[in-house]
Amino acid sequence: MTAGRLPASAIVLAGIPALLLSIAAAVTLGPADLSVADVGSVVGHRLGLVDTEVSRIGQGIVLQLRLPRALLAAICGAGLGVCGAVLQSLLRNPLADPFLLGVSAGASTGAVSVVVLGLGAGAIGLTAGAFAGALVAFALVLLLASVAGGAAGHTVLAGVAGTQLFSALTSYIVITSADAEQTRGVLFWLLGSLSGARWNDVVLAGIVCAACLVLCLARAGALDAFAFGQDAAASLGVHVQRLRIVLLVATALLAATLVAAAGAIGFVGLVLPQAARLLVGPRHRALLPVTAVLGAVLLVWVDVLATTIAAPQEVPVGVVTALVGVPAFAVLLAKRGRVS
């Protein structure tokens, strides 16, 4: 372990209980007064572990509103952090984040097409529309990048072009077709919102996030090799083009799933990998789990802040992550500058 850096195992072992406590605390916070004991009784009663009588209102608040929301926040934080860490290494760009590939902009276009234009004639919902739009945008970005040559720089430029295109389409649809109520609802979703969290969102996002994390950990050595460039990675036996496509697709699918469930939550995938690198270094076998744990804990508390800072009105999560993320990013830049 390099001097001044912490062991990743210690951070993860401390982070998991911190995450569980954060979720338990988040479930107690809100307009209805609940204690940790109340939450434990509801969950224990649901699992058949306790015989304590629990009110239907209490069960509804915990099991249908707050618990899925807190769990989805944790999953989104972990998934966005992992996506950012992988893309920053894969593209050799410290400013890469999960939305660089046009996924967020495409999801926004798909969502407003369903909500405002009625695309699908009611057969698909906002989540499905957002997911479809994200996949279309990512496919276009991959096509542009491959036509340009497929290098990391070409992928970044193709992602910027795709993002601008779909952002323009979203703005055009909202301006020309949405009424005031639709515009407000779409804007709130575009800025990130966990208020509509459902258990099927939690399950799907959790499965995709876990699968992506396992895949990326399995290729941690190859990701380390990418830090030295494509030629160096190839000389070490890495199938550069194949691995890049596999990991780009995996991270894009994860980002699309998270955006479809919770909207565009920025800065998590940009800032968290940078902070994790300062703590444990650049090796991905340590970096990825630490980033996931830090992202999960962070977004749980960011969502708590979003629901309480202007209560009873709720602030979009993406607004709070930006307000917190910009100063944090400035501090990280200063620390990296002193280190270098």
Side-chain angles (χ1 to χ4, degrees), residues 42 53 90 116 120 156 159 175-176 203 205 212 229 282 318:
V42 170
E53 285 296 326
L90 203 61
V116 177
V156 172
I175 290 171
T176 59
V203 172
C212 186

Side-chain angles (χ1 to χ4, degrees), residues 294-309:
L294 292 179
V297 174
L298 172 70
L299 202 57
V300 168
W301 285 108
V302 165
D303 186 50
V304 168
L305 188 60
T307 57
T308 57
I309 191 173

